[in-house]
Amino acid sequence: MIYAVAGASGQLGQLVLPQLVAKVGAANVVALVRNPAKLADLAATGVSVRAFDYDAADPAALAGVDRLLLISANEVGKRSAQHKAVIDAAKAAGVGLIAYTSILHAPTSTIGLVGEHRDTEAALAASGVPHILLRNGWYNENYTGALAPSIEHGAILGAAGEGRIASASRADLAAGAVAALVNGAAGDVHELAGDESYTMAEFAAHVARIAGKPVAYVNMSQADYAAALKGVGLPDWLAEMLANSSYATSHDQLFDDSRSLSRLIGRATTPIAETIAAALA
Ligand SMILES: NC(=O)c1ccc[n+]([C@@H]2O[C@H](COP(=O)([O-])OP(=O)(O)OC[C@H]3O[C@@H](n4cnc5c(N)ncnc54)[C@H](OP(=O)(O)O)[C@@H]3O)[C@@H](O)[C@H]2O)c1
């Protein structure tokens, strides 16, 4: 059985690959990457590294692949076409199963980013290629990537209100993807979120405790939060996207209590406090 990972050079892919190699052996793993030079170290370990661009997805790169993990790409607006091209290539190459990293509660989510994931889920259904949906919630790391200025100013801004967030660490979601890819069956749909949930006020309290400094959550309207993000230099599209998902959080769009992820990986998920502590260490 040959397992391929598309998006192998990204942060999620880099956490998936060692776990996949540990499970199935390097000789059975194909890493697909735009620029193979990025994964030269991995090639030296016996993993097959092949050039693969979602914008020009070549079925030849998927020759012999039984199961493909399609990690969603990162250029918002281009992804429906890119993912469709990958699915078409996989079909042409005779790939037996695709596991796709979608978004939590894709059919009902009000998060602006959901459209491309719905398009891809529909393209998978239309393709007839057996598939598994990994509907990933937000990464813990989305909240811990830039804590220094929040601690300095004593404030974490957002539009999330009292909404509860059940985020999971990127490593836990990588473990879930590996488990589903290796042991899952066509038709599986996983809503993948952390075991625990928190409001942004509770998140700020964790940050304050761990940093040993006063930090409070400041709730704003979606428009004011977008303006604040633009004010610190974020591009308009990113500020609007982040403000949209923060506001959607106020309606619990990032909450899930199914505990599917911990069942899939056979252990509890990483608490947000642990990810905060790691980020501040
Ligand atoms: N759940 C969440 O909280 C969350 C947060 C952010 C993003 N996401 C989604 O989850 C995905 C994985 O997360 P991540 O943290 O690993 O993101 P990431 O670090 O940005 O990785 C994205 C990967 O996609 C690859 N890629 C992009 N366009 C491509 C193309 N045209 N052809 C081939 N490969 C292409 C990149 O390759 P290169 O190395 O060549 O650039 C990279 O390997 C993201 O791409 C995004 O769709 C989820």
Side-chain angles (χ1 to χ4, degrees), residues 7-13 34 38 52-55 71-75 79 82 136-139 142 170:
S9 54
Q11 298 167 88
L12 185 69
R34 274 194 279 209
K38 271 193 178 175
F52 188 72
D53 189 332
Y54 294 9
D55 285 314
I71 295 179
S72 48
N74 54 8
E75 283 180 275
R79 300 184 297 176
Q82 290 175 327
N136 288 350
W138 259 212
Y139 302 142
N142 292 356
R170 209 185 246 107

Side-chain angles (χ1 to χ4, degrees), residues 6-15 32-35 38 52-56 71-76 78-79 82-83 86 100-104 113 117 135-143 167-168 170 173 241 254:
S9 54
Q11 298 167 88
L12 185 69
Q14 287 293 291
L15 293 166
L32 299 163
V33 59
R34 274 194 279 209
N35 174 8
K38 271 193 178 175
F52 188 72
D53 189 332
Y54 294 9
D55 285 314
I71 295 179
S72 48
N74 54 8
E75 283 180 275
V76 175
K78 289 189 173 180
R79 300 184 297 176
Q82 290 175 327
H83 297 163
V86 177
Y100 170 67
T101 61
S102 184
I103 191 171
L104 192 67
L113 287 170
H117 292 293
R135 291 192 180 139
N136 288 350
W138 259 212
Y139 302 142
N140 285 354
E141 290 81 357
N142 292 356
Y143 299 94
S167 62
R170 209 185 246 107
L173 288 164
M241 191 265 278
L254 292 174

Side-chain angles (χ1 to χ4, degrees), residues 13-84:
Q14 287 293 291
L15 293 166
V16 161
L17 281 165
Q19 300 187 49
L20 184 59
V21 166
K23 254 199 164 105
V24 305
N28 298 313
V29 175
V30 175
L32 299 163
V33 59
R34 274 194 279 209
N35 174 8
K38 271 193 178 175
L39 299 184
D41 291 355
L42 189 71
T45 69
V47 169
S48 168
V49 177
R50 300 183 189 168
F52 188 72
D53 189 332
Y54 294 9
D55 285 314
D58 181 359
L62 299 171
V65 171
D66 297 295
R67 291 189 163 209
L68 167 67
L69 174 62
L70 168 53
I71 295 179
S72 48
N74 54 8
E75 283 180 275
V76 175
K78 289 189 173 180
R79 300 184 297 176
S80 299
Q82 290 175 327
H83 297 163
K84 167 85 167 55

